[in-house]
Amino acid sequence: PCNLTGWWENDLGSKMQVFNVDNDGTFSGEYHTAVSSAKKPIQPSPLIGSQHLDEDGQCTFGFTVNWKKFSDSTAVFVGECFKGDDGKEVLHTSWLLREKVDSEPEDWKATR
């Protein structure tokens, strides 16, 4: 089965640490982003998520990262864990990031 616990790194150099996954699939950790448009220095940010483990061992998962330490934004990630031909686990994810805007008419530019 896919084990999300531990350190993960993406193609841009961002890192995520999942501390542990409970029996119900709930997990927490920290996200260390390598990219940001915020003016404040980047800091590790808390994440919380949930995974669904199928009988074949591949799991789908989702988590939220609150960038509250250096930005007025929140991101959500969804993905699936795969075992590569070399036996290593790899995560494939998609994400949405919501930045704070000053007014409702600016809503169109708030989500990436």
Side-chain angles (χ1 to χ4, degrees), residues 88-101:
K88 291 178 73 175
E89 294 172 340
V90 61
L91 307 181
H92 285 258
T93 61
S94 296
W95 56 269
L96 289 171
L97 180 120
R98 177 67 187 215
E99 291 183 299
K100 178 183 166 187
V101 292

Side-chain angles (χ1 to χ4, degrees), residues 41-94:
I42 294 172
Q43 295 186 44
S45 300
L47 69 83
I48 189 157
S50 181
Q51 86 168 51
H52 175 83
L53 188 60
D54 285 335
E55 294 172 6
D56 65 5
Q58 287 183 198
C59 69
T60 57
F61 59 90
F63 60 91
T64 301
V65 179
N66 186 337
W67 310 108
K68 64 185 175 184
K69 294 181 178 181
F70 67 94
S71 175
D72 290 331
S73 62
T74 302
V76 293
F77 294 76
V78 293
E80 186 170 350
C81 180
F82 296 94
K83 279 230 183 194
D85 292 336
D86 60 1
K88 291 178 73 175
E89 294 172 340
V90 61
L91 307 181
H92 285 258
T93 61
S94 296

Side-chain angles (χ1 to χ4, degrees), residues 4-22:
L4 293 178
T5 302
W7 282 95
W8 299 90
E9 185 171 356
N10 71 14
D11 297 337
L12 298 175
S14 295
K15 296 177 183 176
M16 169 178 76
Q17 182 181 19
V18 175
F19 299 139
N20 65 343
V21 181
D22 294 343

